[in-house]
Amino acid sequence: MSFSLEGKTCLVTGAGRGIGRAIALALGAAGADVAITYSRSEGPAKEVEAEIIKMGRKALIFQADAIDGKRADEVIGEITKAWGKLDILVNNAGITKDTLIMRMSEEQWDDVIETNLKSVFNYSKAAVRPMMKQRSGSIINIGSIVGVSGNAGQTNYSASKAGMIGFTKSLAKELATRNVRVNLVAPGYITTDMTDKLGEATLEAINKSIPMGKGGQPEDVANAVQFLGSDASAYITGVVLHVDGGMVM
Ligand code: NDP
């Protein structure tokens, strides 16, 4: 199933690997021109760019650390200069630095909050100006169900993802009259490099806690993003959409 994004332009942060990669490819497959950022994964990001071009779409690729606000302005400036507009922004870049609070360093706290939450401020702020001018746009933040449920060993990560929910709802209220929609997709357990770090016992326990009995794939998240980026969701703003096989209800 595909929702049409014909004629739209989009930016996905952290799209060389994992969920970001699947999102970039799903948006391209639906007809959008796709810009992506990466921080370290240059080779994989170039492969994503090549795949989008192979689909017959335009692609732009930027090396950009998501915590750098000045670079966010430059990236979005270059996209609007090249393509004249930005219709969809997907704030996907994210990291984990899991440990119990007793052992968590200030650096582990700051890194996760800055990469996951400040990045969303950086890119949303830069995108809002062109989107307000266009009187249309869709910002989609990739949160996590642990931002709703909490998770032992993830105080930094859960706080960053809960912060994204408050940010999403506030910005949705600020921009609704300008026809700029802001939503959050909250994945549950999705198989990527991020979850490969978990041990077998943890994975078994996670699978048991999922009503559908299994983890999801990056494409499951990408499908939700494709919908929220498309005009099929034109009257939806400020929502938190769980993509988690029923893990958190
Ligand atoms: P991966 O670890 O597989 O990929 C993380 C991506 O984020 C990479 O493309 C990486 O780019 C990018 N990234 C990390 N730090 C930065 C930075 N400072 N600047 C720019 N890009 C950065 O993770 P996932 O694909 O699994 O996760 C993607 C999103 O989905 C994250 O926001 C995560 O929190 C969320 N999520 C994932 C879940 C899961 O089960 N996998 C569950 C819930 C939410 P590079 O390699 O170039 O550094």
Side-chain angles (χ1 to χ4, degrees), residues 7 10 17 29 41 77 144 173 178 208 210 219 243:
C10 62
R17 304 186 281 122
S41 302
S144 166
K173 288 186 176 179
R178 309 298 180 104
K208 272 197 192 136
I210 302 172
E219 290 70 26
V243 179

Side-chain angles (χ1 to χ4, degrees), residues 45-164:
K46 282 190 169 156
E47 283 170 28
V48 173
E49 179 191 29
E51 284 201 49
I52 289 162
I53 290 169
K54 228 194 285 166
M55 290 172 187
R57 313 295 168 209
K58 289 185 202 135
L60 288 171
I61 178 172
F62 300 95
Q63 198 285 329
D65 190 320
I67 67 173
D68 183 344
K70 195 166 151 272
R71 186 71 183 126
D73 291 339
E74 286 169 5
V75 165
I76 288 186
E78 286 193 38
I79 294 168
T80 51
K81 198 167 140 203
W83 293 343
K85 61 178 187 156
L86 178 66
D87 298 304
I88 301 165
L89 165 67
V90 185
N91 284 309
N92 166 78
I95 56 167
T96 52
K97 292 206 171 171
D98 298 352
T99 190
L100 298 173
I101 194 154
M102 293 292 285
R103 289 195 211 113
M104 190 176 290
S105 66
E106 190 176 342
E107 195 187 353
Q108 286 171 319
W109 172 267
D110 287 344
D111 282 354
V112 170
I113 298 291
E114 293 234 320
T115 306
N116 296 2
L117 186 56
K118 189 176 175 207
S119 63
V120 176
F121 163 75
N122 289 340
Y123 279 84
S124 301
K125 186 169 180 203
V128 156
R129 199 182 296 270
M131 286 181 173
M132 281 172 71
K133 232 163 102 189
Q134 288 157 212
R135 296 227 162 229
S136 72
S138 173
I139 297 175
I140 302 153
N141 297 322
I142 308 302
S144 166
I145 51 158
V146 304
V148 177
S149 65
N151 195 25
Q154 291 196 309
T155 50
N156 50 1
Y157 184 75
S158 303
S160 73
K161 296 299 185 180
M164 284 173 72

Side-chain angles (χ1 to χ4, degrees), residues 13 24 36 44 73 84 100 124 142 153 191 220 233 240:
T13 66
I36 63 169
D73 291 339
L100 298 173
S124 301
I142 308 302
T191 313
D220 294 317
S233 61
V240 174

